[in-house]
């Protein structure tokens, strides 16, 4: 039997879907119904868009990433040098700002994107996804597993994508509520402040450790990686550079800690705005089983959100402000996403699909609204309205 599935964790028979499409619920818009032909056509259009972009990769992309690296290194040198003059507070504050920007560029526009393999085609060891290491406590190899594989493969599938709540938050109505989630705003604030440490522990799967599903044998290799990577980071930012500044040890230590904090707040906000604003859909394992490439594309578009802003804003977000395009094409250089976005939005418009985008403050406000809302059980707050899309699944998925 063929099946049709919607974004709200349920599978609908063809007959039910036909009835559903013809009888929208009172007060809601008609659901979007995509046939198998629609899905395959969307897949072909996005494949062609990807091939067209890959064919253009070359000197422009090489120059772009070199310039970003040059700017990041310049900011780090300037920031660390300014720590030697804490007796001039404006200079010290400028140093903290420069070091913060350096860490943001390193983690988001360079580290995140290089480790996605966006510059592997250049065949340069320093830009190889397998060898790059970034300025944060999370070992690159663990991040590549938890993010590149787990998150990008199972995007927004409840129970499979551990980025839905990072194992400690309730961010979806299909996550079972328990009293622990009354602390959702507190846990989210702690995660935001300590974000690099949360990312480091992501592969631990803390909920599975608590439930006894993972033991020391599973955790030990991770812990060894943490000790080595986090140890180097702590030594660098909180011992070596403060010591090198001699009598300014404490102010340098504070400055380095402030730069790490700024990076944490920024990275958390950009990433959460890309995945949890109102309107972003989640999926069940059942309705995403044996997806075709076209179905995978549609899930990525429905499960992500963009943030509008200036060119500088996009660079400082690692172009993750174009999260929809990033999820469609995670291995294309991210600075290409702004030129792809209008064409992806046009595809969404022609097929009636939502294209979730908005300013930073609107998206971040929406995210925090969800954090507070899902602290409470569904019986009290209900389910948020999500644009309803009914997808005719391929025959092999039935």
């Amino acid at each position: 039997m063929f099946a049709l599935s919607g974004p709200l964790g349920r599978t609908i028979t063809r007959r039910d879907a036909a009835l559903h499409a013809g009888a929208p619920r009172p007060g809601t818009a008609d659901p979007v119904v995509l046939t198998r032909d629609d899905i395959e056509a969307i897949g072909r259009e996005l494949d062609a868009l990807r091939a067209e972009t890959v064919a253009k990769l070359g000197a422009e992309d090489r120059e772009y990433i070199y310039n970003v690296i040059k700017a990041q290194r310049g900011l780090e040198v300037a920031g660390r040098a300014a720590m030697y003059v804490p007796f001039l507070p404006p200079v010290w504050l400028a140093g903290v700002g420069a070091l913060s920007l350096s860490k943001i560029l390193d983690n988001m526009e360079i580290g995140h994107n290089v480790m996605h393999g966006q510059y592997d085609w250049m065949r340069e060891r320093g830009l190889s996804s397998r060898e790059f290491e970034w300025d944060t406590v999370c070992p690159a190899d663990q991040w590549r597993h938890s993010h590149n594989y787990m998150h990008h493969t199972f995007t927004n599938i409840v129970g499979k994508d551990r980025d839905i709540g990072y194992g400690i938050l309730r961010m979806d109505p299909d996550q079972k509520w328990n009293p622990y989630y009354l602390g959702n705003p507190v846990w989210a604030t702690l995660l935001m402040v300590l974000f690099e440490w949360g990312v480091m522990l992501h592969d631990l799967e803390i909920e599975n450790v608590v439930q006894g599903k993972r033991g020391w044998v599973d955790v030990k290799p991770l812990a060894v990686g943490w000790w080595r990577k986090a140890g180097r980071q702590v030594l660098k930012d909180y011992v070596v550079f403060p010591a090198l500044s001699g009598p300014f040890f404490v102010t340098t230590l504070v400055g380095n800690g402030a730069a790490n904090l700024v990076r944490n707040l920024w990275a958390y906000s950009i990433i959460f705005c890309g995945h949890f604003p109102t309107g972003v859909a989640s999926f069940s394992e059942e309705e995403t089983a044996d997806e075709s490439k076209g179905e995978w594309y549609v899930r990525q578009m429905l499960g992500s959100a963009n943030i509008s802003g200036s060119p500088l804003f996009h660079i400082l977000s690692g172009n993750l402000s174009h999260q929809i395009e990033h999820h469609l094409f995670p291995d294309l250089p991210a600075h290409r996403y702004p030129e792809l976005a209008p064409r992806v939005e046009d595809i969404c418009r022609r097929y009636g699909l939502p294209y979730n985008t908005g300013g930073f403050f609107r998206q971040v406000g929406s995210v925090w609204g969800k954090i507070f809302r899902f602290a409470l059980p569904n019986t009290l707050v209900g389910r948020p309205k999500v644009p309803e899309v009914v997808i005719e699944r391929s025959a092999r998925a039935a």
Side-chain angles (χ1 to χ4, degrees):
M1 181 181 74
F2 297 146
L4 295 135
S5 63
L8 302 179
R10 56 198 168 85
T11 298
I12 310 166
T13 66
R14 295 186 72 181
R15 177 175 175 277
D16 290 339
L19 291 172
H20 184 79
R25 292 168 299 172
T28 64
D30 288 353
V32 176
V33 179
L34 295 179
T35 66
R36 275 182 284 165
D37 287 342
D38 291 333
I39 296 289
E40 296 313 309
I42 290 171
R44 286 193 297 273
E45 286 199 54
L46 290 171
D47 278 344
L49 189 53
R50 172 187 162 74
E52 180 185 320
T53 306
V54 168
K56 292 192 290 188
L57 298 182
E60 179 183 343
D61 307 272
R62 184 178 290 107
E63 183 179 4
Y64 175 81
I65 194 63
Y66 285 165
N67 285 338
V68 173
I69 292 172
K70 183 178 178 182
Q72 180 268 321
R73 290 176 178 172
L75 286 165
E76 180 171 8
V77 170
R80 296 202 182 279
M83 298 292 174
Y84 285 85
V85 284
F87 44 85
L88 295 175
V91 175
W92 183 84
L93 286 172
V96 172
L99 191 56
S100 302
L101 290 172
S102 166
K103 286 176 177 287
I104 286 170
L105 284 176
D106 175 273
N107 285 191
M108 304 191 76
E109 184 64 323
I110 303 171
H112 172 275
N113 295 334
V114 167
M115 288 192 287
H116 262 294
Q118 295 181 4
Y119 296 95
D120 281 357
W121 56 272
M122 290 171 61
R123 300 188 181 282
E124 291 189 17
R125 192 170 180 180
L127 293 172
S128 166
S129 61
R130 295 190 177 189
E131 299 190 36
F132 190 88
E133 193 57 78
W134 52 356
D135 184 9
T136 184
V137 295
C138 180
D141 60 332
Q142 293 184 26
W143 181 85
R144 285 194 293 269
H145 175 258
S146 63
H147 182 84
N148 283 10
Y149 173 65
M150 295 298 292
H151 173 56
H152 276 271
T153 303
F154 304 110
T155 306
N156 279 27
I157 300 177
V158 178
K160 297 284 284 185
D161 181 3
R162 296 192 62 264
D163 276 28
I164 301 178
Y166 282 75
I168 60 173
L169 302 176
R170 184 170 184 259
M171 298 300 296
D172 188 275
D174 287 328
Q175 288 175 274
K176 187 178 179 181
W177 184 86
N178 65 60
Y180 161 83
Y181 291 118
L182 290 170
N184 229 26
V186 176
W187 316 143
T189 302
L190 290 173
L191 179 61
M192 179 173 63
V193 171
L194 303 170
F195 193 56
E196 69 170 322
W197 297 94
V199 171
M200 184 191 79
L201 295 172
H202 197 30
D203 225 17
L204 173 63
E205 302 182 13
I206 185 64
E207 71 277 20
N208 290 326
V209 172
V210 171
Q211 295 170 17
K213 296 178 181 177
R214 301 197 85 190
W216 176 242
V217 173
D218 304 305
V219 173
K220 184 179 178 181
L222 301 176
V224 171
W226 303 336
W227 175 256
R228 290 173 179 167
K229 182 64 195 297
R232 287 198 300 271
Q233 287 296 118
V234 169
L235 193 66
K236 179 185 72 169
D237 278 341
Y238 301 117
V239 178
V240 174
F241 277 109
L244 288 174
S245 63
F248 309 124
F249 182 97
V250 173
T251 53
T252 300
L253 184 149
V254 172
N256 290 350
N260 282 324
L261 174 61
V262 170
R263 183 270 321 279
N264 287 350
L265 301 181
W266 180 252
Y268 168 95
S269 298
I270 293 297
I271 291 168
F272 270 56
C273 284
H275 296 92
F276 302 119
T278 299
V280 170
S282 61
F283 309 84
S284 69
E285 293 184 49
E286 179 187 20
E287 65 187 351
T288 55
D290 298 319
E291 284 177 319
S292 68
K293 184 70 177 294
E295 291 162 354
W296 182 87
Y297 275 138
V298 171
R299 175 160 59 85
Q300 304 306 316
M301 291 192 286
L302 297 176
S304 308
N306 284 4
I307 316 168
S308 56
S310 67
L312 179 60
F313 175 85
H314 294 314
I315 291 172
L316 292 178
S317 75
N319 277 293
L320 295 178
S321 47
H322 293 93
Q323 195 69 234
I324 296 172
E325 288 70 30
H326 174 58
H327 267 270
L328 291 172
F329 311 115
D331 59 348
L332 290 183
H335 78 103
R336 295 277 182 180
Y337 295 155
E339 70 185 48
L340 296 174
R343 298 175 68 177
V344 172
E345 186 172 7
D346 179 62
I347 292 172
C348 289
R349 180 188 56 76
R350 285 190 278 111
Y351 288 92
L353 291 170
Y355 186 83
N356 192 329
T357 186
F360 174 77
F361 292 106
R362 190 183 94 176
Q363 298 292 59
V364 81
S366 175
V367 167
W368 278 97
K370 266 191 175 181
I371 289 169
F372 278 89
R373 179 177 190 147
F374 292 132
L376 301 172
N378 294 343
T379 52
L380 291 180
V381 297
R383 286 176 171 271
K385 290 181 180 178
V386 176
E388 197 155 1
V389 179
V390 180
I391 299 170
E392 185 180 12
R393 299 295 311 281
S394 56
R396 67 181 184 283

